[in-house]
Amino acid sequence: MHRPDLKVGELARRTGISVRTLHYYDEIGLLTPARRGDGNHRLYAVADIARLQQITSLRQLGLSLEEIRAVLEDPDCTPLRVVELHLAQAHQRLAAERALCDRLEALAAALGRMEEVSIDMLMQTIEGITNMDQYFTPEQRAEIAERGRQIGQERIREVEAEWPQLIEQVRVEMERGTDPSSETVQALARRWSALVREFTGGNPGIEQGLRDMYRQESASSNPHLDPRMPEYMAYIGKALQASK
Amino acid sequence: MHRPDLKVGELARRTGISVRTLHYYDEIGLLTPARRGDGNHRLYAVADIARLQQITSLRQLGLSLEEIRAVLEDPDCTPLRVVELHLAQAHQRLAAERALCDRLEALAAALGRMEEVSIDMLMQTIEGITNMDQYFTPEQRAEIAERGRQIGQERIREVEAEWPQLIEQVRVEMERGTDPSSETVQALARRWSALVREFTGGNPGIEQGLRDMYRQESASSNPHLDPRMPEYMAYIGKALQASK
DNA sequence: AATACACTAACGAAGCGTAATTGTGT
DNA sequence: AACACAATTACGCTTCGTTAGTGTAT
């Protein structure tokens, strides 16, 4: 009546903690039942139950069993410090997860736009996305991902189809030596800017990153990019200058 | 000259992958070097190096070695499906991490406001925060956390000091049977509303959740709350009705 | 003989799940 | 004898890091 000590099975049923876990906590000395009795059965007293609740509460916060032991047994170890330390780690994991999700989303979107995906294509796409990370801040990447969702797959596919044509036209005019201020080139430049703005959303930071990326990547002979992209970009730049 | 097969150490140095890892990949059959030679040394051919790069790329996306093996070897296993599956898991982990961070932040903030933190206080605070989770949606919790940051610790401390006083005054008037429309009670009600609005930021959903929480928690005899809170709330409610 | 590098074998880690085997009481 | 519950022991999971002991070539 005064001390309804519980056996493992009983305690497990009442708390939802598995018997194995209780055994384990006993094994590592985190929660040792008050006494043994009747065939060496573990008998948990009220204080043990309270301690178990403390342990589970702290576990829900993601503390390791070692950390929990420290908080519960070391009086020098203030909960605030432990929690703050743990919070810092949680923040780091959070940031890492976010970055991972962003990359996976970009990858899934890119793969979704392709009909057949060979391993090679997959690797190239991954590389492309990984390279992107170097040219944009996390915030910018989030913004780009957001715009990608808003614009939609079809429109992206359209633009991806239009780009090579546009580039080809620019190449032709450039090799012909057409004056950048001519109406033909002006029209191409306007179209070019429009497509770029559709991607950047007018954000100048993103636009800058995009320029850097094209310059760098085509310089380091990225197989996706026309190595003469910087030339085209300069040509279009002149055209835009002239229109002002 | 034609095939500069690499030994483990060499490959490790060039790729940054540890020798142990290369041994392991060989052991599980994920990356078996093309041949062995000269004292059973592993000799990696160009194709092996390419495969290693594929493996590391996929690892960066958080894929397990098993998943990687599947993607690289099972032609039925389309990359898109694998990535999407993985993305879903990543999203789940992300949500979990976010929730955890929110709770840890709330906890750290609460602990920061207390001078001495006993284990009991810690547990009660955790419980309080855990209970909160039931009355607010994740978005609402994020909003509350955000407002907490904006308002600042000091102001929160002030409000926490003022509340009991205000409640005591309300209790006195209520027991005196003062008419809710009297100027005394009206003043108390205005103050009450102001403090509540400071917490809710005027968000009606949060206000509703707060009301529910107080009703429920005081009904289930939460040790932090005056069990007569519902009565006070009703009294103040009448006063506010009368002022309209 | 010493140095550098490679090889294999095996423990450890975090937190239990999942047997397998053996009591013990009813 | 069967059934319920408890105890102990120990492998498994995942991805390597880290010794430890042993060649082998220079």
Side-chain angles (χ1 to χ4, degrees), chain A residues 96-97 99-101 103-104 107 126, chain B residues 54-68 71 82-83 85-87 89-90 93:
Chain A
E97 281 291 352
L100 186 61
C101 276
R103 292 216 303 276
L104 283 171
L107 182 57
I126 292 176
Chain B
Q54 294 172 0
I55 293 172
T56 54
S57 286
L58 294 172
R59 276 250 68 188
Q60 286 197 347
L61 299 178
L63 299 193
S64 75
L65 300 183
E66 267 318 309
E67 290 171 311
I68 293 174
V71 175
V82 178
V83 169
L85 194 81
H86 211 70
L87 177 58
Q89 297 173 33
R93 286 196 309 263

Side-chain angles (χ1 to χ4, degrees), chain A residues 8-9 23 36 41-42:
Chain A
V8 263
H23 279 172
R36 299 285 190 118
H41 289 14
R42 290 169 178 82

Side-chain angles (χ1 to χ4, degrees), chain A residues 8 24 48-49 53 59 77 88 137 141 178-179 185 187 227 241:
Chain A
V8 263
Y24 182 62
D48 296 328
I49 302 175
Q53 277 160 355
R59 276 248 71 187
C77 172
T137 69
R141 267 178 271 146
T178 313
D179 190 315
V185 180
Q241 279 302 108

Side-chain angles (χ1 to χ4, degrees), chain B residues 7-9 20 23 36 40-42:
Chain B
K7 292 193 282 186
V8 263
R20 176 62 176 108
H23 279 173
R36 299 285 189 119
N40 207 26
H41 288 14
R42 290 169 178 81

Side-chain angles (χ1 to χ4, degrees), chain A residues 62-123:
Chain A
L63 299 196
S64 75
L65 299 184
E66 267 317 310
E67 290 172 310
I68 293 174
R69 190 208 304 278
V71 174
L72 293 184
E73 290 176 10
D74 185 352
D76 298 340
C77 172
T78 81
L80 179 56
R81 263 207 296 274
V82 178
V83 169
E84 277 177 342
L85 194 83
H86 210 71
L87 177 57
Q89 298 174 37
H91 271 147
Q92 275 187 271
R93 287 196 308 262
L94 182 61
E97 281 291 352
R98 246 200 291 263
L100 186 61
C101 276
D102 284 352
R103 292 216 303 276
L104 283 171
E105 260 170 43
L107 182 57
L111 295 180
R113 267 176 262 126
M114 320 190 318
E115 333 72 21
E116 281 270 328
V117 185
S118 70
I119 301 289
D120 261 10
M121 300 277 293
L122 174 63
M123 303 312 297

